[in-house]
Amino acid sequence: MSGSTRDDASRPGTDFIRQIIDRDLEAGRHDTVVTRFPPEPNGFLHIGHAKSIVLNFGIASEHEGGRCHLRFDDTNPSTEDPRYVEAIQEDVRWLGYDWGEHLYFASDYFERLYGFAVELIEKGRAYVDSQSEEAIRENRGTVTVPGTPSPYRDRTVAENLDLFRRMRAGEFDDGEHVLRAKIDMASPNMIMRDPLLYRIRHIEHYRTGNDWCIYPLYDFAHCLEDAIEHITHSLCTLEFENNREIYDWLVENVTLDARPRQYEFARLNLDYTVMSKRKLLRLVKEEEVDSWDDPRMPTIAGLRRRGFTPASIRAFCEMIGVAKADSRVDMGKLEYAIRDDLNRQAPRVLCVLRPLRVTLTNWPVDAETGEPEVDWLEAPYFPRDVGLEGSRRIPFSGELFIDEADFEEAPPKGFRRLVPGEEVRLRYGYVIRCDEVVKDEDGRVVELRCSYDPETRGGDTPDGRKVKGTIHWVSAPHAAECTVRLYDRLFTVPDPDAAVAARGEDSDLRDFLNPESLEVVSGARVEPSVLEDPADRRYQFERVGYFWRDPVGDDGALTFNRIVTLRDSWAKVGARLAIASGAGSESPVGGDSRTTGPEGGDRAPSSAGEAGERPSVSPEVKARADALVEAFGLNEIDAEILARDPVVEAFFRDAVGASEASTVSPVSLANWIINDLPPVQGSRGLDQLPFGPGELAELVALVEIGTFSSRGGGEGLERMADRGGDPQAIVDQLDLAQVSDAGALRPIVEAAVEAHPDKVAAYRGGKSGLMGFFMGAVMRETGGKADPELTKELLGELLEGE
């Protein structure tokens, strides 16, 4: 049925705009929905425009027969350029939208718009004003003082028509005359005090050349363009709310066969950046950034070059929703959206940013060649909870690189990586022990001489000994050298414009630029498998972050851009972590595939911003953090986060107290409070949640004893945050109980194996990475509820059998 709404399952939500549209369709005001995205081609689009693109194209796609027009409002020739037209079209297409045959330009309507202006003059509703720009501004009055009518307001229709035609003919200089609407110089809405409709500009237009020397202003043009194109719902941001009155006045006072209506929604104001094309252009011109597509810029081109995906930006725009009041959006939400997307699709590979050489002194040498042997290890691309298959072979040799940050000669408390005389597990490889530290003449560590345990291939310890940490590595002779660009936030303060205003007249946006927004790391080493991959593949460098190759390369050099860190390190170490006060940062839900090192190992710091350079804290906070480390065995960063806010610390301590009778570790509770709680908490304080520390402790206990899976625990936490409730009862209500019975799980495992004989043969032929494929198949069949350890054990029995 024409104009009907598609299945609600495909709609992002029932925001007020969609409610208006639904009511209009139900009332028969329109047969379908026609929206438009009308950028001015005077710069590159930014993330704020993406919200409008997603809203306008998205709403149109939700209705049968709906369409969204792409229209360039090119009525100001002094600032517009064809390259912006091309860039905007590229951005819209990249985001996944297509306007089909509905590409329009305001300049195509210049003749019709001129005709509408003539009609207004003939009706006595517009006049040519010959005052100077300054006089017009002064005579407009103030909010409390009515405006003064122009001395030219009562010109006759004939005189106005003659002057307007001569304006078009080019007889007058710029600014000598303007065309104004004749409305009400005492209107409380100052926009309605005889607004300007046309001005003289002797500037060549990029499309019409010198055919015109008078150009319509935006308020005059865009509403009439909407009517020409039969737009049903003209969606604008809130700064145009006061302009709605002139919009309605114009469409009511000229002859049109359509009556569009304007609706306003809140614009996107994103923290740690600016959303003004004029200010972004200034950053480009003053070379504070490299270009419009600099990966630090909030432009769509910049985000694309940084490595963001179209799906992540669409998800972000849908996540923040459509509101009626302006507000600021935490940058963490945008970062969460890209992490969430990449977590489910990015292959995991190994890259060492700051290499430290490791020599295995007992590594075997080939008897014939005298060269060190090379052990090719099968490593899966994806963790088992992602459900994707794929693996690669990575070389392991007697000469390795690990990250400098993964070795400490005098380790701090809680350090779980490599130290002299102790062991660490190498991801996918072996357990090694540091036997000797080699330093240069300046005392800098340049090499570690280690021994490896040949019985620990794959990371297991047959004798059952505990190895606390797991770190990443690459084979020194095989790894590819690369440059890594670590991008961070462009500004040091959430609201740069407000910071400038607060500091006063002498302040400037440049005062708040982040001097560490780009760190270039040369001489990094990445595993050789990436050399065979498509250039546009995105990766998770394990324990480091998400990266992809810079599409603007330097003569084929291997350069990777950091898309986003593994977790919100800015939130984690910054001063904005007042969780209980309603900060509600969008940290990603914890889990081994998202935020932690492999097999529980530490995550390697990937920049100074993540490593030791944390913001300073008061002695009081430091003392409380030290007490948490001492009492509960937390690491220093987590303890500091909890100690920064007494409400958060009290919540943690109460949760620990409530769990004393169970086996829940304080470290687990801290991780849940820091990583899992903020996304479901939103803007509420901890005291506003419908559950308390005791319920959270019970939920975590259910996860740790295996009643919940980690994923089920996340779903349970969402339900608790929504309506409260007993965790055990939620397990029963949502059917989240983990399948831990071998008898119930075995038939599912057997079916997964029997359905893929080719994969079974490949696994038995050495493709051990396919274990992740079979784990994913079982998880999909059980809705993620299968006990991972039991599933792996059962799969091992079947896959190893003949």
Side-chain angles (χ1 to χ4, degrees):
M1 174 178 167
S2 179
S4 64
T5 302
R6 298 189 192 276
D7 189 336
D8 281 345
S10 68
R11 310 183 77 202
T14 54
D15 54 72
F16 78 99
I17 294 288
R18 287 176 167 87
Q19 292 172 8
I20 290 170
I21 291 173
D22 288 347
R23 287 196 297 268
D24 286 348
L25 292 174
E26 290 169 4
R29 296 188 184 96
H30 306 287
D31 294 329
T32 188
V33 175
V34 184
T35 59
R36 87 286 183 270
F37 175 62
E40 182 181 358
N42 63 350
F44 282 71
L45 300 182
H46 54 62
I47 186 68
H49 295 109
K51 177 179 177 179
S52 181
I53 293 168
V54 171
L55 178 63
N56 280 283
F57 280 92
I59 283 177
S61 70
E62 294 164 15
H63 299 275
E64 292 187 23
R67 65 180 188 271
C68 181
H69 298 180
L70 176 61
R71 181 208 306 145
F72 289 96
D73 270 325
D74 53 351
T75 60
N76 184 3
S78 63
T79 61
E80 295 157 356
D81 193 287
R83 73 185 182 111
Y84 296 135
V85 173
E86 295 171 4
I88 289 169
Q89 292 184 72
E90 180 183 3
D91 288 346
V92 176
R93 285 197 185 99
W94 179 76
L95 282 172
Y97 300 106
D98 186 8
W99 51 89
E101 61 186 16
H102 298 288
L103 174 63
Y104 303 102
F105 293 83
S107 52
D108 288 337
Y109 303 135
F110 279 174
E111 194 65 53
R112 294 189 67 179
L113 294 174
Y114 177 81
F116 291 137
V118 169
E119 180 182 350
L120 287 173
I121 294 173
E122 291 173 339
K123 291 179 176 179
R125 292 170 184 163
Y127 63 97
V128 174
D129 192 353
S130 303
Q131 294 182 101
S132 67
E133 182 179 343
E134 182 181 358
I136 291 174
R137 184 170 54 252
E138 290 178 354
N139 290 336
R140 185 160 284 155
T142 67
V143 175
T144 57
V145 177
T148 301
S150 166
Y152 306 101
R153 196 172 193 264
D154 294 327
R155 276 174 167 159
T156 65
V157 169
E159 187 179 4
N160 284 318
L161 286 173
D162 176 66
L163 285 170
F164 191 52
R165 287 170 181 147
R166 291 165 63 195
M167 286 170 60
R168 175 177 179 171
E171 293 186 23
F172 306 112
D173 294 334
D174 289 2
E176 196 169 344
H177 303 288
V178 294
L179 182 71
R180 299 178 68 177
K182 185 186 289 188
I183 305 178
D184 181 3
M185 288 300 292
S187 173
N189 181 355
M190 293 187 65
I191 291 175
M192 298 300 288
R193 295 181 184 179
D194 291 8
L196 274 62
L197 306 181
Y198 266 87
R199 60 190 170 182
I200 302 171
R201 288 289 185 272
H202 288 276
I203 301 175
E204 183 174 344
H205 191 280
Y206 76 100
R207 294 188 77 240
T208 62
N210 294 308
D211 291 349
W212 292 86
C213 62
I214 58 171
Y215 293 96
L217 276 78
Y218 177 81
D219 275 341
F220 175 74
H222 92 283
C223 57
L224 301 177
E225 294 158 7
D226 285 348
I228 291 170
E229 296 176 17
H230 290 255
I231 301 300
T232 59
H233 297 82
S234 180
L235 308 180
C236 303
T237 46
L238 278 175
E239 64 263 36
F240 293 102
E241 184 175 16
N242 289 336
N243 301 64
R244 190 194 323 146
E245 192 172 354
I246 184 61
Y247 185 106
D248 293 340
W249 185 91
L250 284 164
V251 297
E252 288 168 0
N253 281 279
V254 298
T255 305
L256 299 164
D257 57 0
R259 177 60 171 86
R261 294 189 181 277
Q262 175 178 301
Y263 303 93
E264 304 85 24
F265 62 93
R267 64 177 295 167
L268 171 58
N269 296 301
L270 188 65
D271 280 351
Y272 296 98
T273 191
V274 290
M275 289 290 153
S276 161
K277 281 195 286 187
R278 176 179 56 82
K279 293 173 182 176
L280 295 175
L281 176 61
R282 180 185 170 195
L283 293 177
V284 173
K285 286 185 173 180
E286 296 180 356
E287 299 184 353
E288 300 292 351
V289 294
D290 294 334
S291 60
W292 281 100
D293 69 346
D294 186 305
R296 294 167 291 179
M297 290 278 273
T299 57
I300 296 176
L303 294 169
R304 179 168 61 244
R305 181 178 171 189
R306 183 158 171 172
F308 275 71
T309 62
S312 68
I313 294 179
R314 294 194 302 267
F316 166 70
C317 293
E318 292 170 1
M319 180 196 309
I320 61 177
V322 182
K324 294 182 179 181
D326 280 335
S327 62
R328 299 198 65 82
V329 175
D330 188 344
M331 177 68 83
K333 291 187 176 182
L334 177 60
E335 294 170 346
Y336 174 81
I338 184 61
R339 283 193 199 96
D340 188 59
D341 188 32
L342 294 181
N343 176 61
R344 292 179 277 110
Q345 62 172 294
R348 277 60 169 171
V349 299
L350 303 178
C351 180
V352 174
L353 297 192
R354 298 170 179 86
L356 173 61
R357 183 172 293 274
V358 171
T359 300
L360 301 181
T361 56
N362 62 334
W363 185 255
V365 175
D366 187 282
E368 295 183 3
T369 66
E371 296 294 326
E373 293 184 357
V374 178
D375 186 2
W376 288 89
L377 305 171
E378 192 75 21
Y381 275 127
F382 304 99
R384 60 193 179 210
D385 62 335
V386 169
L388 296 177
E389 63 176 296
S391 63
R392 79 282 191 196
R393 299 176 71 226
I394 51 177
F396 190 99
S397 68
E399 296 288 333
L400 309 172
F401 286 124
I402 66 171
D403 198 286
E404 288 180 348
D406 283 334
F407 174 76
E408 283 286 351
E409 196 169 13
K413 185 174 182 178
F415 189 80
R416 298 194 302 166
R417 295 167 241 169
L418 190 59
V419 300
E422 298 294 335
E423 291 183 320
V424 74
R425 179 183 294 106
L426 298 182
R427 180 70 158 157
Y428 309 120
Y430 296 86
V431 173
I432 65 171
R433 178 187 299 275
C434 179
D435 301 316
E436 182 183 354
V437 179
V438 180
K439 299 181 181 179
D440 63 14
E441 59 185 16
D442 296 323
R444 187 174 68 92
V445 176
V446 294
E447 182 186 0
L448 303 176
R449 292 177 181 167
C450 303
S451 54
Y452 89 109
D453 183 348
E455 300 300 317
T456 59
R457 189 177 191 271
D460 293 330
T461 51
D463 59 2
R465 71 182 185 274
K466 298 292 185 181
V467 179
K468 293 182 179 179
T470 300
I471 63 175
H472 63 290
W473 55 276
V474 292
S475 171
H478 302 89
E481 185 171 351
C482 61
T483 298
V484 176
R485 295 180 181 142
L486 303 176
Y487 292 102
D488 213 325
R489 301 178 181 185
L490 188 55
F491 290 91
T492 58
V493 292
D495 189 345
D497 289 324
V500 170
R503 186 172 288 186
E505 292 182 1
D506 295 333
S507 183
D508 188 272
L509 271 178
R510 291 175 297 181
D511 298 339
F512 302 98
L513 285 169
N514 180 11
E516 299 179 355
S517 62
L518 170 60
E519 180 185 2
V520 179
V521 180
S522 301
R525 299 294 195 280
V526 65
E527 66 173 73
S529 68
V530 304
L531 299 175
E532 306 299 322
D533 291 338
D536 62 350
R537 178 159 295 173
R538 295 166 177 83
Y539 302 97
Q540 183 191 105
F541 289 173
E542 293 201 47
R543 302 177 65 239
V544 180
Y546 292 100
F547 293 79
W548 85 325
R549 291 183 66 169
D550 189 341
V552 184
D554 298 325
D555 300 325
L558 192 60
T559 302
F560 290 95
N561 292 341
R562 182 172 68 186
I563 305 169
V564 70
T565 58
L566 284 178
R567 66 170 61 184
D568 187 353
S569 59
W570 190 286
K572 190 171 177 66
V573 303
R576 64 184 177 85
L577 286 176
I579 301 173
S581 65
S585 67
E586 283 286 343
S587 301
V589 176
D592 64 345
S593 67
R594 291 181 186 264
T595 61
T596 63
E599 301 177 29
D602 293 323
R603 186 173 63 90
S606 59
S607 69
E610 289 185 75
E613 298 180 12
R614 302 195 301 277
S616 60
V617 296
S618 68
E620 179 187 357
V621 170
K622 182 68 167 62
R624 293 209 309 267
D626 289 345
L628 291 172
V629 171
E630 183 67 27
F632 304 112
L634 306 183
N635 65 57
E636 292 181 3
I637 293 179
D638 287 352
E640 185 178 300
I641 290 172
L642 297 174
R644 281 181 181 275
D645 192 307
V647 177
V648 179
E649 181 183 350
F651 191 94
F652 166 73
R653 289 181 175 275
D654 289 346
V656 172
S659 65
E660 285 180 350
S662 68
T663 59
V664 179
S665 74
V667 173
S668 293
L669 285 169
N671 281 332
W672 278 78
I673 291 171
I674 292 169
N675 297 317
D676 297 76
L677 191 54
V680 301
Q681 179 185 346
S683 60
R684 296 172 291 181
L686 288 174
D687 58 349
Q688 297 173 307
L689 293 173
F691 65 89
E695 287 80 12
L696 178 65
E698 185 179 348
L699 176 77
V700 177
L702 291 173
V703 172
E704 295 208 343
I705 65 176
T707 302
F708 271 130
S709 65
S710 294
R711 182 176 298 178
E715 292 182 33
L717 183 61
E718 288 181 11
R719 170 61 71 89
M720 286 170 55
D722 182 43
R723 63 190 72 175
D726 174 67
Q728 183 61 59
I730 290 173
V731 173
D732 300 333
Q733 292 167 5
L734 300 183
D735 190 25
L736 295 174
Q738 186 164 261
V739 180
S740 302
D741 177 66
L745 199 53
R746 184 178 293 277
I748 301 172
V749 174
E750 291 174 347
V753 172
E754 291 170 2
H756 302 282
D758 54 333
K759 299 286 193 300
V760 173
Y763 179 89
R764 291 173 178 170
K767 295 279 188 180
S768 59
L770 286 170
M771 175 63 77
F773 168 78
F774 289 106
M775 288 288 295
V778 174
M779 289 298 176
R780 284 192 296 273
E781 184 64 26
T782 61
K785 294 185 291 183
D787 182 318
E789 295 304 320
L790 179 58
T791 300
K792 188 174 183 179
E793 179 183 333
L794 294 174
L795 281 169
E797 293 176 5
L798 293 172
L799 293 171
E800 299 295 339
E802 296 297 333

